[in-house]
Amino acid sequence: MKLWTGRFKKQLDEAADAYNSSISFDSRMYREDIRGSMAHAAMLAAQGIISEEDRDAIINGLDGILSEIESGALEIDMSAEDIHTFIEAELTDRIGAAGKRLHTARSRNDQVALDIRLWLRNAVDGIVTRVEGLMKVLCDKAEQHAATVMPGYTHMQRAQPITFGHHLMAYANMLERDRERLLDARKRMNRSPIGCCALAGTTYPTDRAAEAKALGFDDICHNSLDGVSDRDFCIELAAALSILMTHLSRFSEEIILWCSWEFKFVELSDAFSTGSSIMPQKKNPDIAELTRGKAGRVFGDTMTLLTVLKGLPLAYNKDMQEDKEAIFDAVDTVTMCLDAFTPMIDTMTALPDNMRKAAAGGFINATDCADWLTSKGIPFRDAYKATGELVARCIELGTTLEALPIEEYRAICEDFDEGVYDAIALDRCVAMRKSAGGPAPENTVAEVARIRAILA
Ligand code: ARG
């Protein structure tokens, strides 16, 4: 049964019908559709547009439909055009004429805009909770490893000593901004389009503000054309999710590297690793790889939304039905990803000995050596050059700055004395990096406290 009978003499062609239908993907908004309709009926009655008896019949009828869908007693008819059509038809079947009054002062255009906002608002809350869960896990791990020395890299070359805790907290900082972006998107999304009707409002004496308030919105959409025809809130959310996935993807890339025999900085739990069908020795970081891969998928969803919207004249166009699969996919993908990623990090074991071995190998204390010489009054550029020569000498002798005899130091610069060995000891190099935001263990402990305060 179509909602738009009357004008038409022919049935919709079968292929056209299948093409036009959205119920296969919008049926998941049944709760939001019913909740919106209940609020609409209440508003219509409060304004004297429908009777109180009709309102009660509608709300009771919808309540029955909701609990029957939830219990599985009522199956959603996948041959209906969309979820709005299905629920209205089902209601009218059950309560007769009152059901036909529900759609007074409303159109599917504002109805669908309302349903998506309600659905996404809830979805954002779910994702924010998951992001917070990952932030919490990072804080716990960083606290344990606030003094675990590892090499920091630039250009994938060992650069300067940092700690594993400091490295993890870099991601906690990224997630802090992701969380803010999501909450920000939620704020702009939280305006009610219901009552914009098809595109031009209505002549009925509706109370849009009351209906918005009943549905938990902060405000109404103030222009009826805009309310039914923009999906910028979908794009904004997809963009925030894309940035989040960029962060998770970079993190995944590092985990994949760290799991390799070349690094072996971490070991993933068997519960979050997979094997090979042919190579018995293999233990693969599939969850991290999939996260890196699925980032591309979420970026694609964002591009879909931008492209669908960019050429549309105001107000509603059927193209906009394409918004849902893209934004649902982005939400589903990120949700699934965080549900696997967070416990993977939580159960991951750090291997501090290997981190330290790598940190000891790459002359990552060379800057500290030059800084020590500078503290003796040598200009930094000269200290830099002398240290460079020391590194070259170490490479020649196959040794490290720590093991190089003091005579070798003094041969390059007379100002060196035994004090340099203290200055280039890795733990001290890290402990001395107390500048704000630096890797000194006390900074990491304070950062963990700052992030935990946000989560509290
Ligand atoms: N299924 C449609 C959508 O998702 C609902 C709105 C239909 N409105 C219309 N005038 N055809 O966009």
Side-chain angles (χ1 to χ4, degrees), residues 221-369:
C221 300
H222 290 282
N223 180 290
S224 65
L225 296 175
D226 175 51
V228 291
S229 66
D230 209 343
R231 295 290 186 269
D232 57 353
F233 58 93
C234 295
I235 300 174
E236 188 175 3
L237 175 58
L241 294 177
S242 293
I243 299 172
L244 168 61
M245 286 304 287
T246 305
H247 293 150
L248 296 183
S249 180
R250 292 184 77 172
F251 199 177
S252 295
E253 169 67 11
E254 298 207 297
I255 288 173
I256 294 159
L257 287 172
W258 292 343
C259 283
S260 70
W261 283 105
E262 284 68 18
F263 278 80
K264 267 286 170 257
F265 285 1
V266 300
E267 171 97 38
L268 293 181
S269 157
D270 284 359
F272 291 90
S273 310
T274 52
S276 156
S277 59
I278 174 171
M279 298 168 279
Q281 85 284 12
K282 288 297 286 292
K283 178 169 168 182
N284 297 329
D286 283 25
I287 304 303
E289 290 170 43
L290 264 179
T291 303
R292 190 175 57 184
K294 283 184 190 292
R297 182 176 172 141
V298 176
F299 301 172
D301 293 328
T302 307
M303 198 45 73
T304 298
L305 287 163
L306 285 165
T307 312
V308 165
L309 263 285
K310 76 178 271 293
L312 297 186
L314 302 185
Y316 179 85
N317 301 270
K318 189 73 172 203
D319 316 46
M320 290 164 66
Q321 182 164 285
E322 292 291 315
D323 60 355
K324 281 173 281 306
E325 280 167 295
I327 192 64
F328 290 164
D329 183 70
V331 165
D332 291 345
T333 303
V334 171
T335 303
M336 249 208 320
C337 166
L338 284 166
D339 283 346
F341 194 87
T342 302
M344 174 187 76
I345 299 296
D346 196 21
T347 55
M348 170 178 89
T349 310
L351 301 171
D353 290 348
N354 295 345
M355 292 180 187
R356 182 169 283 270
K357 230 174 276 161
F363 304 105
I364 63 177
N365 45 6
T367 314
D368 302 85
C369 180

Side-chain angles (χ1 to χ4, degrees), residues 22 26 81-82 84 108-109 112 316 318 320-321 324:
S22 57
D26 66 20
E81 185 177 332
D82 52 30
H84 328 293
R108 270 187 303 164
N109 297 351
V112 72
Y316 179 85
K318 189 73 172 203
M320 290 164 66
Q321 182 164 285
K324 281 173 281 306

